[in-house]
Amino acid sequence: MLEDRTTAAPSATAWPAAYPQGYAVVDVETTGLARDDRIISAAVYRLDARGEVEDHWYTLVNPQRDPGPVWIHGLTSDVLRDAPLFPDVAEEFAARLDGRVLVAHNAVFDWQMIAREYARAEREAPVRQRLCTIALSKALDLPLPNHKLESLAAHFGVVQQRAHHALDDARVLAEAFRPSLLAAAAGDVRLPLHECRPLTEWSDRPAPRIGQQAGYGSYRPTSWRPSRKRPACPYPNPGRYEEGKRLKQGMRVAFSGDTSVERDLLEDRAVEAGLHVATSLSRLTSLLVTNDPDSGTSKVVKARQFGTPVVDEAAFGQLLADVEPADG
């Protein structure tokens, strides 16, 4: 589906010469958060250099497997059965991304899912830079209560109609990104651009059985934080995370505050990578993940006292992509 839209004339504001010439605001819905999960729908809003919408595109994608948390995205196996496979939409998707900065909310996640799909299809996604709107809102020091998309939308008066529907989430983000971009330009704020390195090869592992999908098997639509006991981490704690290095299996990771990805899903992804998810913070904690390091939560306060390393959700997502195996 493609729809061209007429936009207003660009602002006369002097524009930073270093800013990109175009953006692709992206949202993907997926079967889950793990390495082997698949995209089930994707939307792209193409914007010009000043954030004006040029057109938009949306597609369903048949993942050829269990669609995962239907109660979140609403896409059942029946809905997806006749949808195109990713290789069938890869060329059109690439045309939407080509030559543009990929913009997404928690962009590292969307980028990783896209890069993996292209690697499976033995192709390369034409993306060289990404911009996370969480990072941009922090650079602009926006007075948001948390870093969820709905809070960013509310700040700019953007009405969300269908949360977790790729097309509406991409629309909402595009409408919130434009005033963010204008504010950044007016304040001569450096955009938080990050390099994207496409995967060049892929090796699939067996897909999980229906009803046993990693990270989602114990969830119910009526309860986001069900009471459940996680199995003990099988790896010894190797100590604290060091900036610039990889996470290592066995590290104790604690979370504090709001996250754009549901907390349980984020914790499950950490467990799948071989990390120990800690419910409290102590001198043994390897890393604290929080989008608000200046808050007064008990975990943040203790992290300051103990000198525990702190990263935000987007950085943690990048670290999860390459966790070092435990020693022998």
Side-chain angles (χ1 to χ4, degrees), residues 4 9 13 49 73 117 123 125 141 143 156 185 187 197 243 254 264 279:
D4 292 314
T13 304
H73 52 61
E117 289 287 5
R123 299 184 56 165
D141 198 25
F156 289 113
R197 296 184 178 180
E243 186 176 357
D264 279 331
T279 56

Side-chain angles (χ1 to χ4, degrees), residues 242-263:
E242 295 182 39
E243 186 176 357
K245 295 188 178 181
R246 298 159 65 188
L247 289 174
K248 190 170 186 177
Q249 289 182 326
M251 283 186 171
R252 298 174 65 95
V253 179
F255 297 85
S256 178
D258 291 308
T259 52
S260 60
V261 174
E262 291 296 336
R263 174 75 69 80

Side-chain angles (χ1 to χ4, degrees), residues 34-38 112-113 115-123 199-205:
R35 173 184 181 277
D36 294 307
D37 277 301
R38 306 297 302 271
Q112 287 174 348
M113 295 303 299
R116 290 167 187 160
E117 289 287 5
Y118 274 95
R120 289 186 188 97
E122 299 183 343
R123 299 184 56 165
L199 297 175
T200 56
E201 58 184 38
W202 182 262
S203 177
D204 266 320
R205 294 183 297 201

